[in-house]
Amino acid sequence: MKNAKIFLVEDEEAVVVFLRRMFSRRGHEVVLEAKSLDGALDIIKSGMLEQKGVNLAIVDGRFPEAKGKKKVSGGLIVAKAIRGSDPSIRVIAFSGEAPESLTYGDA
């Protein structure tokens, strides 16, 4: 995919900075960011993905709930919401914490 417009969902600022820099060096652009499950869902519901021309979402597979420190499989929730909003957007989920494989297939 050339010149991707990326929706990045990640709660760790250091990871956000690294990914933003890496994608930029390869000609891609992070056009939207969310640091929480609620923030990601708000962006999806607002129609901003379409407005910004997002064609790729990079999603942390596990991140804190908005109201606490508990880790949830927010990546699956976000992937399903994106698919419901615009099935043409490709979704890549990752996690540096999960010991199990995080694959969502056609979420």
Side-chain angles (χ1 to χ4, degrees):
M1 175 180 292
K2 292 185 178 183
N3 302 320
K5 296 207 180 265
I6 300 168
F7 174 35
L8 179 59
V9 182
E10 169 59 54
D11 63 310
E12 295 289 335
E13 186 61 27
V15 176
V16 170
V17 170
F18 169 77
L19 290 174
R20 198 181 311 125
R21 185 178 307 140
M22 182 187 71
F23 291 132
S24 176
R25 288 180 180 165
R26 288 163 176 78
H28 307 298
E29 180 182 7
V30 175
V31 295
L32 290 169
E33 293 179 20
K35 296 191 184 313
S36 70
L37 177 57
D38 289 341
L41 295 176
D42 288 346
I43 287 172
I44 295 164
K45 291 175 189 172
S46 75
M48 290 295 294
L49 299 180
E50 183 179 357
Q51 290 174 18
K52 295 286 188 174
V54 170
N55 53 14
L56 177 63
I58 306 293
V59 180
D60 183 351
R62 296 173 62 83
F63 45 87
E65 292 182 52
K67 297 177 184 171
K69 299 290 183 188
K70 179 182 173 192
K71 298 283 183 176
V72 296
S73 295
L76 179 57
I77 296 166
V78 171
K80 285 182 176 182
I82 290 170
R83 286 292 204 203
S85 172
D86 184 344
S88 71
I89 297 173
R90 294 181 180 183
V91 179
I92 297 172
F94 70 96
S95 178
E97 293 185 21
E100 69 278 356
S101 174
L102 290 173
T103 55
Y104 303 137
D106 290 330

